[in-house]
Amino acid sequence: SDVPNAMVGVQPALVVGAFPSAGSSLHDGAGSCSPCAWFWKPRGCQSGASCGYCHLCPEGELKSRKKAKVAAIRMGALEPTSRGQNGGRQPGTKTNLKLTTLL
């Protein structure tokens, strides 16, 4: 089949073009993308296909990632990020993991 790996398991209604949003191109199911905070809200994402965040992540993914991040920070495995002028990190950026505390 000619469906990209990122689209496997996605509801057919969401698969219209290549990706439902620009940020969805990073979706691989392993956390490489940044979920859109507005996509699953009643009004939906106003940016549509030009949104820099992922529209393929399941509902609740953003909340579960935030909970996992807070738990990692509390364990000392992750350093808290300082918020810049834009209020946080950009889509596709990664957080530094401190492996020494996990060993």
Side-chain angles (χ1 to χ4, degrees), residues 15-92:
V15 182
V16 177
F19 294 101
S21 69
S24 297
S25 64
L26 298 173
H27 184 86
D28 62 0
S32 298
C33 60
S34 296
C36 180
W38 297 101
F39 183 70
W40 292 101
K41 305 280 185 195
R43 290 189 61 188
C45 177
Q46 301 300 305
S47 299
S50 64
C51 182
Y53 294 90
C54 185
H55 289 183
L56 293 174
C57 287
E59 185 173 12
E61 179 69 12
L62 185 62
K63 188 173 185 176
S64 65
R65 286 191 192 182
K66 284 182 181 180
K67 283 185 177 186
K69 181 179 178 181
V70 168
I73 290 171
R74 287 185 179 153
M75 285 178 28
L78 204 60
E79 291 184 19
T81 57
S82 61
R83 293 184 177 252
Q85 291 178 335
N86 62 358
R89 67 184 188 97
Q90 294 295 317

